[in-house]
Amino acid sequence: LNHSLALKTDGSLWAWGENGFYQLGDGTFISRSAPVLVGAGFAAIAAGEYHSLALTADGSLRAWGHNGYGQLGDGTTTHRSAPVQIPGFTGVAGIGAGSWHSFAVKTDGSLWAWGDNRLFGQLGDGTRINRSSPVLVGGDFAAIAAGIDHSIALKTSGSLWVWGSNEFGQLGDGTGTITTRSTPAVIGTGYAAIAARYSYSLALK
């Protein structure tokens, strides 16, 4: 929400901004007005409302910050002031963070989700149950993006899938704002890139 992450070409990860829930990952809860070093050996980053994710060069995953809904994926609901590894979770190719939920796409195309799922089914696993460890959503995925309580994903075929809250029509499925989806629904094909934030979505054909 009020913090930023940056990844350098040498794999070092830097963070700045609000730090009340340890979302900067520097071991403190002190807000920073200039970048501070979090660690090295990283390949990708994602920022949620008050939590952060980072993919390492070897395909493992680190998370830190607010964890009240299990959005760090370490099997607990304990806040973390520095990066912790999601145990037994490797082979990750891409990551995404919503406000209170998180995703990872593995190299085999499988999509995994964890965190807040109570009201809108934004994890996509067909339940309304919070998850503190990754659960499988489906396969053949290439990219993931998430807003405050909705999610969108791109399959390797170029088809676009959506789920979660549709309060403002952010799912783009034409069903109206009363529809909530707890499992992915396809809304089109021929897409190449996606993005989502808060209560809106974007897609590039």
Side-chain angles (χ1 to χ4, degrees):
L1 177 65
N2 293 315
H3 74 293
S4 303
L5 305 175
L7 183 65
K8 285 197 173 187
T9 54
D10 63 3
S12 62
L13 174 58
W14 300 75
W16 61 98
E18 185 181 355
N19 200 26
F21 288 101
Y22 312 113
Q23 58 265 46
L24 300 189
D26 66 345
T28 78
F29 59 88
I30 301 169
S31 296
R32 306 288 187 175
S33 60
V36 293
L37 180 65
V38 179
F42 293 101
I45 51 177
E49 188 109 350
Y50 296 114
H51 76 289
S52 305
L53 305 175
L55 175 62
T56 65
D58 65 2
S60 61
L61 198 54
R62 304 291 191 274
W64 60 95
H66 190 285
N67 197 29
Y69 304 103
Q71 62 264 46
L72 300 189
D74 66 348
T76 77
T77 54
T78 303
H79 305 329
R80 304 292 185 178
S81 63
V84 294
Q85 184 171 357
I86 297 180
F89 202 67
T90 59
V92 178
I95 53 177
S99 287
W100 308 103
H101 63 302
S102 306
F103 291 99
V105 179
K106 288 197 174 188
T107 54
D108 63 3
S110 60
L111 176 62
W112 299 75
W114 57 97
D116 187 21
N117 198 36
R118 299 163 296 159
L119 300 178
F120 303 105
Q122 58 264 45
L123 298 189
D125 68 344
T127 76
R128 295 289 197 278
I129 301 170
N130 290 352
R131 306 288 188 176
S132 61
S133 296
V135 293
L136 181 65
V137 178
D140 195 34
F141 285 96
I144 179 70
I148 186 172
D149 47 31
H150 79 289
S151 311
I152 66 174
L154 185 65
K155 287 211 173 190
T156 56
S157 63
S159 59
L160 182 59
W161 297 72
V162 298
W163 61 98
S165 173
N166 199 29
E167 182 181 3
F168 301 100
Q170 60 264 47
L171 298 188
D173 62 357
T175 61
T177 58
I178 62 170
T179 301
T180 296
R181 298 188 179 277
S182 62
T183 56
V186 64
I187 62 167
T189 59
Y191 290 93
I194 54 174
R197 197 56 192 147
Y198 207 75
S199 296
Y200 64 95
S201 306
L202 303 172
L204 178 69
K205 282 213 170 186

